[in-house]
Amino acid sequence: MATSRPPSVTVDVVAGGTKLSIRRRDLEAEDSPIDPCFFDDSYTVAGSTGFLVWEGGWMLIEFLEKHLATLGTLTNRRVVELGSGTGLAGLCAAAHGAHVLMTDLPSVVDEGLAQALLANSSGTAATTTTTTTTTTTTTTTNTATDTTTTTTAAAAAAATATATCWPGARPVGSKGGSACCQALDWTKSVSEQSFPCDPTSADIILAAETVWLKELVAPFVSTVVTLLQGPNHPACYMAYHERGKADSATFATTEDLLAELTRQGCTFNVVAEGIPTRGTIQCAVYSIYCTEASQPAVISHQYHTQ
Ligand SMILES: C[S@@+](CC[C@H](N)C(=O)[O-])C[C@H]1O[C@@H](n2cnc3c(N)ncnc32)[C@H](O)[C@@H]1O
């Protein structure tokens, strides 16, 4: 249970024609050197980063926008975001028409993501029940009644979207997208955290700045590998900014990350790099895939550099 909440500010962003408002911690307004959440039962150093917007988050949003066409559009795709934090990237993907399951540690889901979802969604929770609306045309002749049932294209599209939504998802934006949130802790098995939403049924996996502590690298990669082996052979896009130095015992380096990906049987490519427009630091976006699974479309983009 949280003891006191730190001050926060709103970050506005427009995605898919929809304005989203995200709350992030306001570090400048904090006058105490001690994190106000430090004495919470659920406090962890890793989780404490979930209430800020990170450079990689901006990079991922920009990447998605610039490559929507190559990615084959986000509309009606099931997306799982790992380590969603404030929900910025996940909600942007939903505003572009995707059905997004935003995940993080339980404390971040309860105290940040759930509120971000409520603040940026419209209407009631979508249902996964496949409902097919039919139009009935009745033709009357002298002796018989001929009834023709026509399923309209619009109704079929709506039914597809409804079927693709994650259980309990709420509509986001004007492009038919939706989002919901659920705890997914990389240090636990995915199968024990698969209810009501099963993250292994994703079409696309997203992650931004999720691996900065050495101790998180192996559990994070292991979670990615489990999701990559899902039935839809998802593509995985991870925005990354290196924070570790070679001699650091705490912070992960690019070398640590890439070595672990290789050790766990993944292949990767840098598909974009540079400084995101709303950021200040050099980031990269990697596409990651398992050698047996299909490789995502090759895209390469250089953002502006310093
Ligand atoms: C540096 S923040 C990045 C947040 C967001 N993706 C962004 O770019 O703004 C790292 C995120 O990973 C989450 N995280 C840390 N350890 C985790 C774990 N074991 N399982 C799931 N999420 C974790 C944190 O709670 C936090 O939201």
Side-chain angles (χ1 to χ4, degrees):
M1 176 59 83
T3 46
S4 66
R5 296 268 55 85
S8 61
V9 286
T10 300
V11 178
D12 288 332
V13 59
V14 176
T18 298
K19 183 180 152 203
L20 302 168
S21 295
I22 307 292
R23 299 294 294 176
R24 70 149 173 87
R25 250 173 98 162
D26 184 5
L27 296 178
E28 293 84 52
E30 289 180 23
D31 47 11
S32 165
I34 298 173
D35 187 327
C37 303
F38 187 74
F39 297 103
D40 289 358
D41 294 340
S42 58
Y43 180 86
T44 61
V45 174
S48 69
T49 62
F51 301 97
L52 294 169
V53 172
W54 294 80
E55 296 277 331
W58 291 122
M59 182 76 176
L60 188 59
I61 292 168
E62 218 164 298
F63 171 77
L64 290 178
E65 278 168 1
K66 286 183 173 156
H67 299 292
L68 278 177
T70 321
L71 289 169
T73 172
L74 287 172
T75 306
N76 268 339
R77 309 297 298 284
R78 270 197 163 183
V79 173
V80 169
E81 191 194 8
L82 299 171
S84 297
T86 60
L88 177 69
L91 288 166
C92 281
H96 282 296
H99 299 296
V100 184
L101 172 59
M102 302 184 290
T103 71
D104 209 298
L105 292 167
S107 57
V108 180
V109 171
D110 294 345
E111 292 164 36
L113 279 177
Q115 284 84 340
L117 179 60
L118 279 179
N120 290 286
S121 58
S122 51
T124 51
T127 167
T128 49
T129 310
T130 306
T131 50
T132 306
T133 309
T134 57
T135 305
T136 304
T137 312
T138 306
T139 311
T140 307
T141 63
N142 284 342
T143 53
T145 301
D146 178 17
T147 303
T148 311
T149 302
T150 310
T151 303
T152 64
T160 305
T162 307
T164 314
C165 272
W166 296 97
R170 298 176 64 89
V172 176
S174 56
K175 306 224 167 199
S178 67
C180 61
C181 52
Q182 180 172 302
L184 181 57
D185 180 343
W186 316 321
T187 64
K188 297 180 177 166
S189 78
V190 172
S191 61
E192 72 184 67
Q193 305 173 86
S194 294
F195 187 82
C197 303
D198 178 1
T200 62
S201 64
D203 301 310
I204 299 173
I205 304 162
L206 299 177
E209 293 235 23
T210 38
V211 274
W212 53 284
L213 282 175
K214 268 193 200 302
E215 67 187 38
L216 291 178
V217 175
F220 170 78
V221 172
S222 162
T223 303
V224 168
V225 169
T226 303
L227 301 193
L228 283 174
Q229 288 165 345
N232 301 338
H233 297 299
C236 175
Y237 299 101
M238 178 191 72
Y240 177 74
H241 165 68
E242 181 173 47
R243 294 180 186 275
K245 302 272 185 300
D247 55 354
S248 171
T250 308
F251 298 108
T253 60
T254 306
E255 206 181 323
D256 295 330
L257 172 63
L258 301 187
E260 188 62 28
L261 284 168
T262 306
R263 196 185 69 78
Q264 293 199 35
C266 296
T267 309
F268 44 83
N269 285 320
V270 174
V271 289
E273 55 188 343
I275 303 172
T277 309
R278 290 188 67 167
T280 52
I281 337 178
Q282 180 84 8
C283 299
V285 177
Y286 286 84
S287 78
I288 303 169
Y289 50 100
C290 282
T291 36
E292 319 87 60
S294 53
Q295 180 181 351
V298 176
I299 32 191
S300 187
H301 190 89
Q302 188 73 34
Y303 294 176
H304 69 286
T305 45
Q306 269 173 333

